[in-house]
Amino acid sequence: MLEDKSAHAVGTLRYTTAGLAIVMFWLLFGEFAIAFRDRSAIPGVMELLRQHHASDTMIAVLVSALPALLGAVLVPIVGFRSDRFRSRWGRRLPFLMGITPVAALVLIALGNCATFGRVTDQLLGTLSPGVDACVLAWFCLFWTVFEGIALVTLALYAGLVNDIVPRPVLGRFYAAFRIVSLVAGILFNLWFFRLTEHHLREVFLGIGLFFGVAVMLMCLRLKEGEYGPPSVDGQDAVTWRAMGRAYWRECLSDRYFLLVFFALTASELTFMPFNTFSQLYAESIGMDKATLGRLLALSYTLSIGLSSVIGWLVDRYSAASVTVWAMGLYLCVGAGGFLAVHDLQSFAVVYVLHAVVAGTYYTASASLPMVLFPRARFLQFDGAKRFLFSTSNIVLSFLLGPLLDATGHFYGLTLLVGGLLAGTSLVMFRTLARAARGRVGAASSA
């Protein structure tokens, strides 16, 4: 017998308290594997890029612009198809089970880029452009595939959560989600980060195997509910033109949803500049990897302590309200950090503040799209948001990388840019709040 029907029902799924706990356990188990993969990828590849003399412009393009481009193309397509897909196993799980083994293999291949590059250099002989160029060429290939699959995995996982987790507990679920993700980051930074300099292949091999097994096990243990038949438009939308018309008609012609997309894009871009270059920023002022790893572990520990409180605040007041407060805090951190960082101690303080406020934002805003977008077309609307975010990210990456190269690697600019983006986000959320007043089905105002 259900103890609280409103808190234990979603679509055709009905949960007891114990049943809901089991579903959340498997979702969080899968998230731990996904987070461990993603939190290991950037530090690992940044070390690889540093060792093979990649420029700041190349790093910005590969680590920020390329994923943004892939996200702009792949996520809307997969999201559109997944929303309209029907099978006995659901509309998300078949896609996840299909791409997970490939994702694991590509991560393992990334760890072997240096080996592939050296072998290629030897095979080409006098025609070789050099070992570094060969390594970076292999890296570009595998990184492109990896990022494409990683973005699709995250989108499908979000769609699965949207379909099987009751909305009244989304804030607390994403608090637990954030804790699990942070624990994965702490474990990686304390035990594996220092190994990436000389044992990247072994680290990526272990993480790739764990990720593949864990996510497949999650998919096998979860069950989606029953969905109604796709709309007539959805069944007919099999051409690129029809897909484009559906996105325009349903997502982009409504001023309210455009404001949603712009507000979410500005807030998501806020943390990108410092996140992308924080490792190089730390090295530029003489901070060793062990110290940086401990700072990140400390930041994650503090965020874990705050996650439950933030989750409760989201369920109590709204995801939009807490997100706006987080943006206001980061405006202070970004602007203040740009002025204050001048040595190791000041960098350490700003680094921890950045990570904690960013964590607050990610916890608070995780359920925001699920409140703002229609459930039946969630990934379609999320894909439209992703397209705008990705194109904006590409532009920002192509501006930021050359700017840092031109200023002699003045990484303090990443904090200034982040602060400006936080201010822009506050303006957009305020505009969205005015547009949401009186709109039926709109999220709680910001």
Side-chain angles (χ1 to χ4, degrees):
M1 179 177 295
L2 297 179
E3 297 175 15
D4 183 354
K5 185 176 180 179
S6 65
H8 298 83
V10 53
T12 61
L13 296 171
R14 298 293 184 272
Y15 301 115
T16 63
T17 300
L20 182 60
I22 292 172
V23 168
M24 289 190 172
F25 168 80
W26 285 111
L27 281 171
L28 294 173
F29 180 72
E31 162 56 20
F32 179 82
I34 294 171
F36 211 84
R37 175 202 66 180
D38 293 346
R39 291 185 182 278
S40 67
I42 293 296
V45 301
M46 289 296 286
E47 180 61 34
L48 180 70
L49 292 172
R50 184 192 66 80
Q51 290 179 359
H52 295 280
H53 310 103
S55 67
D56 286 340
T57 299
M58 185 176 187
I59 291 172
V61 170
L62 290 174
V63 177
S64 296
L66 177 62
L69 177 62
L70 295 171
V73 176
L74 294 178
V75 173
I77 294 172
V78 174
F80 186 90
R81 297 300 184 186
S82 178
D83 281 342
R84 291 158 175 77
F85 184 75
R86 299 293 183 270
S87 77
R88 58 182 295 188
W89 298 283
R91 60 177 182 172
R92 315 297 188 197
L93 293 173
F95 287 87
L96 278 170
M97 294 182 72
I99 65 175
T100 293
V102 180
L105 291 174
V106 174
L107 182 60
I108 294 170
L110 268 174
N112 286 275
C113 283
T115 301
F116 293 151
R118 287 192 294 269
V119 172
T120 302
D121 176 65
Q122 294 173 0
L123 291 175
L124 292 177
T126 57
L127 299 176
S128 174
V131 174
D132 286 345
C134 291
V135 171
L136 293 176
W138 280 110
F139 171 80
C140 290
L141 172 63
F142 292 131
W143 183 248
T144 299
V145 179
F146 172 81
E147 277 293 342
I149 295 176
L151 290 167
V152 170
T153 300
L154 291 173
L156 290 169
Y157 181 90
L160 181 63
V161 172
N162 174 74
D163 290 345
I164 70 175
V165 176
R167 284 189 174 175
V169 299
L170 276 175
R172 282 161 287 179
F173 169 78
Y174 272 110
F177 172 100
R178 182 65 181 165
I179 290 172
V180 166
S181 177
L182 292 169
V183 168
I186 290 172
L187 293 178
F188 175 78
N189 281 281
L190 288 180
W191 295 349
F192 299 99
F193 181 44
R194 65 180 181 272
L195 301 177
T196 58
E197 187 169 358
H198 301 294
H199 303 284
L200 185 63
R201 179 174 60 182
E202 292 80 2
V203 170
F204 276 16
L205 173 62
I207 294 174
L209 292 175
F210 170 70
F211 163 79
V213 172
V215 174
M216 290 296 289
L217 185 58
M218 177 197 74
C219 292
L220 292 172
R221 301 300 298 176
L222 292 175
K223 179 182 179 181
E224 297 184 51
E226 297 178 5
Y227 306 104
S231 65
V232 174
D233 288 343
Q235 290 177 331
D236 291 342
V238 295
T239 66
W240 292 105
R241 180 179 297 179
M243 186 184 300
R245 284 199 303 266
Y247 268 105
W248 174 258
R249 182 177 62 254
E250 299 176 22
C251 303
L252 302 177
S253 62
D254 189 319
R255 178 177 177 271
Y256 169 75
F257 283 119
L258 283 176
L259 288 173
V260 171
F261 298 149
F262 282 120
L264 293 177
T265 293
S267 61
E268 289 182 18
L269 284 174
T270 293
F271 307 100
M272 185 277 282
F274 188 78
N275 282 342
T276 301
F277 291 98
S278 61
Q279 190 170 327
L280 297 179
Y281 195 173
E283 292 177 358
S284 71
I285 61 174
M287 181 172 287
D288 59 81
K289 287 185 173 59
T291 302
L292 185 62
R294 287 193 295 270
L295 285 176
L296 194 54
L298 172 62
S299 303
Y300 289 167
T301 302
L302 294 174
S303 292
I304 287 174
L306 290 172
S307 291
S308 297
V309 176
I310 295 166
W312 177 82
L313 289 172
V314 167
D315 286 337
R316 175 65 177 83
Y317 295 104
S318 80
S321 298
V322 185
T323 297
V324 167
W325 277 103
M327 287 292 99
L329 287 173
Y330 195 77
L331 173 59
C332 299
V333 171
F338 171 72
L339 298 173
V341 173
H342 59 276
D343 57 16
L344 288 174
Q345 184 175 1
S346 56
F347 175 84
V349 172
V350 171
Y351 184 89
V352 172
L353 288 173
H354 161 87
V356 171
V357 176
T360 299
Y361 162 79
Y362 290 129
T363 303
S365 67
S367 62
L368 192 52
M370 298 174 189
V371 177
L372 296 172
F373 299 152
R375 185 188 292 276
R377 293 286 186 264
F378 173 74
L379 282 189
Q380 176 182 320
F381 278 80
D382 195 59
K385 182 264 293 181
R386 171 62 61 178
F387 178 82
L388 179 60
F389 166 76
S390 298
T391 52
S392 302
N393 200 351
I394 291 170
V395 173
L396 181 59
S397 299
F398 277 101
L399 292 174
L400 188 59
L403 177 64
L404 293 174
D405 282 330
T407 58
H409 312 294
F410 179 35
Y411 295 115
L413 288 172
T414 61
L415 289 166
L416 178 61
V417 173
L420 293 174
L421 287 167
T424 303
S425 174
L426 289 172
V427 173
M428 294 306 305
F429 272 111
R430 183 63 180 268
T431 306
L432 175 61
R434 290 196 296 267
R437 294 192 186 108
R439 181 182 177 100
V440 177
S444 298
S445 68

